Amino acid sequence: MLSAAALSLCLALGTACSQKSDQDAKIKALEDKIAALETSNTSVTPVNAQASQAADPSTLGQFQFAEMEYEFGDINEGQIIEHQFNFTNTGEAPLVISNITASCGCTTPDWTKTPIKPGEEGYVKVVFNSTSKRGAQAPTVSIQANTNPTVTRLRMKGTVTPKAAGATAPVGPVKR
């Protein structure tokens, strides 16, 4: 009986580890597809569109991030993770971030709102709230700016351990 319980525990742990690596592989494959679509020059030109030229590099900023992915490791459900991604404008024009969007409501971005001159530094701060999140998590933020490509993505990743089932406080009045 004891050996059967130990065997089932080993199988459960092995399945959980393989599911996590499967999730990581699927996330990576999707991100690669998105990046390929963003950088490909295969676009459909409407019949009534005017001819366009490639952007002059002297009119563009360029991100140079120290890191584009932050591994926050294993955390408990409900913890809030905050990380600041610092960058330098290595382009030839002031870099202007027009908008940043988060992949879900659990992630909140903040960033340098003023134009960043060539050679100067800026930041993108990302706050991830793990409340009601469980398992492997990979929240991203998409930065829209006067760069080529126009969208740059930053990612945080890690694993959220769920709260214990009986650890929550009762909701509402309690009968005695």
Side-chain angles (χ1 to χ4, degrees):
M1 181 73 159
L2 187 58
S3 63
L7 178 63
S8 65
L9 179 61
C10 289
L11 287 174
L13 288 174
T15 303
C17 290
S18 69
Q19 286 176 346
K20 182 179 179 191
S21 64
D22 288 347
Q23 286 175 341
D24 287 344
K26 287 178 183 177
I27 289 170
K28 178 70 174 144
L30 286 173
E31 287 178 345
D32 290 344
K33 286 181 183 178
I34 290 170
L37 288 172
E38 287 176 346
T39 57
S40 69
N41 289 331
T42 57
S43 60
V44 177
T45 305
V47 178
N48 61 350
Q50 295 179 359
S52 63
Q53 299 176 344
D56 179 6
S58 65
T59 64
L60 297 177
Q62 183 64 45
F63 286 117
Q64 179 65 50
F65 280 95
E67 62 181 342
M68 296 192 64
E69 182 174 284
Y70 173 69
E71 172 78 42
F72 59 80
D74 294 338
I75 61 170
N76 293 320
E77 181 181 348
Q79 276 186 272
I80 296 174
I81 301 297
E82 182 177 310
H83 184 71
Q84 184 165 304
F85 294 90
N86 295 312
F87 65 89
T88 302
N89 177 4
T90 58
E92 298 179 24
L95 193 151
V96 179
I97 298 174
S98 56
N99 193 27
I100 297 184
T101 54
S103 59
C104 73
C106 62
T107 307
T108 309
D110 185 27
W111 64 92
T112 305
K113 305 287 195 290
T114 58
I116 300 97
K117 295 178 183 172
E120 290 186 352
E121 295 183 355
Y123 70 91
V124 175
K125 183 172 79 172
V126 181
V127 178
F128 169 66
N129 185 343
S130 68
T131 301
S132 300
K133 300 291 180 187
R134 293 171 184 86
Q137 299 294 316
T140 61
V141 292
S142 298
I143 307 166
Q144 297 171 344
N146 64 329
T147 57
N148 186 15
T150 57
V151 177
T152 303
R153 284 191 174 72
L154 301 175
R155 180 170 89 157
M156 298 173 76
K157 71 177 194 174
T159 304
V160 178
T161 305
K163 289 182 182 177
T168 58
V171 177
V174 178
K175 286 187 172 182
R176 293 190 191 255

